[in-house]
Amino acid sequence: MNNISTKSFSANGKTYNPPAKPIVVICMDGSADEYLDTTMAHDLMPNLKKMAFQGYRGMVRGALPSFTNVNNSSIVTGVSPAVHGICGNFFYDLKKDQEVMMNSSEYLRADTLLAAAANAGRKVAVVTAKEKLRDILSYKLKGIAFSAEKADQVKLDTHGIENAEEIIGYKTPAIYSAEASLFVLRAGVALIEKGMADFLYLSLTDYMQHTYAPETEESLAFYQAQDVELGKMLELGAIIGATADHGMNSKIKADGTPNVLYIETMLTEKFGPGFRVICPITDPYVKHHGALGSYVLVYMDDTSKIVEVKNWLALQHGITEVYDKETGCRILEQPADRTGDLFVLSARDVVVGRTAADHDLKALDGTLRSHGGRYEEMVPLVVSHPLNAAYKRKAQGDPRNFDVFDFAINGTH
Ligand SMILES: [Zn+2]
């Protein structure tokens, strides 16, 4: 591993002083700490255990809403949604009067530290399981960026790499599979091994966590397989920082059926028409969650009754937090121009939706595990190398999952 640049770089007010070692940050999508705990209790993650023992393992606070796009954007910019602007998979564009996907980097308001690292001479690679994240993660990036989902379609001029399947030694996986995430980790190993990257962001997918609880055989095997790739990266001399974008909780009633509150229906029944509920978890991967999460926004045609509506909602069983725009933007770190009149968050085992007709529960794989709210906010952080005194202190404060690059780069030397 020669010629690794140690030139410092800055992004969004933070300076990074990278050591001459491969830096790998992994977003273990949907990895509530229970997944790591359970797999480690079965002695199936020896490399992660070694990382935790020799380096650091603790809990960090993610960005809200606890969604994939939001937190991936935070991790690569190092700042909250209030600054980078990505506050859901989906939002209501008031100017266009349209509900639109927020997948595109045109909605990103901050530069990424990945692009800054590349400009400082690092060989940067972004590998994401889901194609939907690639555009945001590769914003202004001079380097490699591709998804497992479309690994067979990469081109040198658009993805910074060609023949990815050949280089990695695996075929493009199905997106609804464990292999989709494992492919990302295997790509990371291959890119370091072949000297093609020395600064990597590897973003997995949460299909497995949406489908399987921590103690299931499928989950254990999945995390065990991830651990094998962690071991290879450690052997290649990498400093690894691993965190998650959000946790994952079961959202079902005692009888096993989805525990859903249809907020637009509830409000219309109580107050009459004039409400628009937006579910910012909505994305093309409906099999994961049927567009049901623990966070929605309410838009009101007539806001004169807003206090009454807010107070009524806050008293409904299963609703845990309701904020008006100003309070919500501060507490939840949101960009004011992309949010509704009210923010609604639900309980650990409850999801909130729009109306029954807006959600296809049949698309689910027979269960409902989801995220988006407060109870999926705290996620693990594991750093492979010992933290220095300053970052040990920082870890005891209010560290964020989007400090993971900071911890891995500045905290380990
Ligand atoms: Zn996710």
Side-chain angles (χ1 to χ4, degrees):
M1 278 294 155
N2 295 322
N3 303 322
I4 294 183
S5 170
T6 56
K7 200 173 153 197
S8 74
F9 58 89
S10 298
N12 305 309
K14 287 184 194 168
T15 300
Y16 302 85
N17 297 298
K21 286 181 181 169
I23 300 287
V24 181
V25 163
I26 304 169
C27 177
M28 302 170 99
D29 197 318
S31 288
D33 201 52
E34 291 94 322
Y35 284 99
L36 305 184
D37 242 2
T38 308
T39 320
M40 280 161 91
H42 283 79
D43 265 332
L44 297 174
M45 295 194 90
N47 294 303
L48 191 80
K49 195 169 166 185
K50 195 166 91 187
M51 283 169 61
F53 184 69
Q54 294 176 355
Y56 174 78
R57 179 182 174 205
M59 297 298 282
V60 289
R61 188 161 65 93
L64 288 167
S66 46
F67 294 145
T68 302
N69 280 22
V70 176
N71 279 276
N72 272 272
S73 303
S74 282
I75 290 169
V76 300
T77 57
V79 290
S80 80
V83 182
H84 65 62
I86 305 293
C87 53
N89 297 327
F90 192 76
F91 85 116
Y92 178 49
D93 191 330
L94 277 169
K95 273 188 215 140
K96 290 184 189 162
D97 187 27
Q98 256 176 13
E99 296 172 26
V100 292
M101 298 296 298
M102 222 187 294
N103 285 350
S104 157
S105 59
E106 72 176 280
Y107 297 109
L108 192 65
R109 292 172 170 162
D111 285 333
T112 75
L113 64 93
L114 302 172
N119 291 339
R122 295 294 293 224
K123 290 183 191 165
V124 177
V126 172
V127 189
T128 159
K130 292 177 184 173
E131 176 68 15
K132 74 164 184 181
L133 278 177
R134 192 173 69 86
D135 190 49
I136 287 176
L137 300 182
S138 64
Y139 181 54
K140 293 187 191 169
L141 174 66
K142 291 187 216 110
I144 296 171
F146 65 99
S147 70
E149 192 177 358
K150 301 216 165 147
D152 54 351
Q153 294 169 34
V154 299
K155 292 195 186 80
L156 199 56
D157 58 338
T158 47
H159 300 75
I161 187 171
E162 54 193 353
N163 304 323
E165 290 183 329
E166 217 170 284
I167 290 165
I168 300 157
Y170 287 87
K171 287 279 172 207
T172 299
I175 191 63
Y176 295 125
S177 71
E179 290 297 308
S181 289
L182 296 174
F183 184 93
V184 173
L185 296 174
R186 288 165 184 155
V189 172
L191 293 172
I192 302 171
E193 215 165 41
K194 295 184 161 57
M196 296 173 74
D198 57 42
F199 195 101
L200 297 90
Y201 181 52
L202 307 176
S203 187
L204 313 184
T205 170
D206 56 11
Y207 167 69
M208 291 298 285
Q209 292 83 355
H210 272 293
T211 312
Y212 301 107
E215 68 283 1
T216 58
E217 237 172 77
E218 290 85 350
S219 267
L220 295 173
F222 175 49
Y223 279 88
Q224 184 179 22
Q226 292 183 51
D227 193 75
V228 172
E229 306 308 320
L230 293 179
K232 290 179 194 164
M233 291 183 221
L234 291 173
E235 224 154 80
L236 290 164
I239 295 176
I240 303 176
T243 189
D245 49 350
H246 53 79
M248 188 72 72
N249 284 305
S250 179
K251 310 281 185 181
I252 53 173
K253 299 181 209 162
D255 66 1
T257 58
N259 201 1
V260 194
L261 295 176
Y262 293 110
I263 302 296
E264 194 169 298
T265 305
M266 287 165 62
L267 289 174
T268 307
E269 277 172 7
K270 174 76 184 169
F271 298 98
F275 297 96
R276 180 196 293 268
V277 168
I278 295 289
C279 305
I281 195 172
T282 308
D283 76 3
Y285 305 87
V286 289
K287 211 170 161 152
H288 289 184
H289 45 61
L292 290 163
S294 293
Y295 174 97
V296 291
L297 301 170
V298 180
Y299 289 80
M300 297 169 63
D301 289 346
D302 170 14
T303 52
S304 66
K305 275 192 181 171
I306 193 162
V307 175
E308 195 187 335
V309 173
K310 178 169 89 78
N311 291 343
W312 182 81
L313 265 181
L315 290 175
Q316 302 312 303
H317 193 71
I319 301 292
T320 49
E321 293 170 75
V322 185
Y323 301 113
D324 61 23
K325 196 184 201 69
E326 197 182 358
T327 315
C329 284
R330 185 187 73 75
I331 292 177
L332 309 173
E333 305 171 296
Q334 297 299 296
D337 59 331
R338 292 181 181 173
T339 54
D341 300 307
L342 292 174
F343 298 85
V344 181
L345 289 86
S346 59
R348 188 172 192 252
D349 58 344
V350 176
V351 283
V352 274
R354 190 170 192 169
T355 73
D358 287 305
H359 301 274
D360 182 10
L361 299 185
K362 285 194 214 80
L364 301 169
D365 268 354
T367 184
L368 180 55
R369 299 176 56 76
S370 194
H371 53 93
R374 186 68 79 182
Y375 298 86
E376 295 82 28
E377 180 189 35
M378 296 301 292
V379 289
L381 170 70
V382 186
V383 181
S384 60
H385 289 58
L387 297 184
N388 58 38
Y391 279 76
K392 271 185 196 158
R393 276 196 300 276
K394 192 169 171 164
Q396 289 172 36
D398 181 18
R400 310 299 300 270
N401 65 345
F402 53 83
D403 293 329
V404 58
F405 274 102
D406 182 25
F407 269 85
I409 294 169
N410 296 325
T412 55
H413 63 104

